[in-house]
């Protein structure tokens, strides 16, 4: 069974940090890129960052560049998103997904989604 399980969300004050995790199972980790997406209330889901171990590529949306860092623990099939200098506008449900691509802002086909984890940044 394919599973992507996010964890690590929570409530933090503006300027603070959180690290969210995405644990993948049921598929070959190297066959996909892993993307982080977020959806704020009343807004469309947007791609935030991605990582492809197979191609050695990473991507960050302009809104998070310099503040967020994506990394992985390959032995545990887990991808992390370290979020620093958080802003109230970062408040959203954060999802990870297994995608075809991690190339610039292109993710290609999204094959699997996690259930999401809430990140709330208070001002």
């Amino acid at each position: 069974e394919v599973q992507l399980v996010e964890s690590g969300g929570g409530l933090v004050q503006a300027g603070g940090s959180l690290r969210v995790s995405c644990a993948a199972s049921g598929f070959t980790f190297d066959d996909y890129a892993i993307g982080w997406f977020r959806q704020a209330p009343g807004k469309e889901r947007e791609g935030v960052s991605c990582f492809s171990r197979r191609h050695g590529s990473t991507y960050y949306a302009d809104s998070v560049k310099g503040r967020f860092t994506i990394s992985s623990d390959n032995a545990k099939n887990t991808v992390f998103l370290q979020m620093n200098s958080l802003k109230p506008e970062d408040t959203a449900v954060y999802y990870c997904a297994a995608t075809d691509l991690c190339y610039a802002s292109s993710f290609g086909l999204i094959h699997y989604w996690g259930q999401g984890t809430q990140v709330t940044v208070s001002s």
Side-chain angles (χ1 to χ4, degrees):
E1 180 188 6
V2 171
Q3 279 193 313
L4 290 168
V5 180
E6 300 96 336
S7 61
L11 173 64
V12 65
Q13 287 188 328
S17 298
L18 278 176
R19 188 177 79 162
V20 290
S21 304
C22 173
S25 62
F27 61 92
T28 302
F29 199 52
D30 283 355
D31 284 350
Y32 302 96
I34 299 295
W36 281 100
F37 299 78
R38 67 185 182 186
Q39 188 165 22
K43 294 188 176 181
E44 292 188 355
R45 194 171 296 189
E46 62 170 342
V48 172
S49 181
C50 64
F51 163 77
S52 171
R53 193 167 87 96
R54 181 172 57 179
H55 297 112
S57 58
T58 57
Y59 159 78
Y60 298 96
D62 287 344
S63 57
V64 306
K65 201 172 292 182
R67 300 187 297 121
F68 290 14
T69 304
I70 193 168
S71 62
S72 70
D73 182 337
N74 299 321
K76 295 182 179 179
N77 282 2
T78 299
V79 176
F80 306 98
L81 187 67
Q82 177 68 42
M83 305 182 290
N84 298 328
S85 301
L86 282 161
K87 305 175 182 180
E89 51 262 45
D90 294 318
T91 295
V93 178
Y94 283 72
Y95 300 88
C96 65
T99 70
D100 274 343
L101 300 172
C102 174
Y103 180 75
S105 60
S106 298
F107 299 92
L109 185 66
I110 297 173
H111 294 267
Y112 309 111
W113 286 100
Q115 84 288 350
T117 185
Q118 176 70 47
V119 171
T120 303
V121 184
S122 63
S123 58

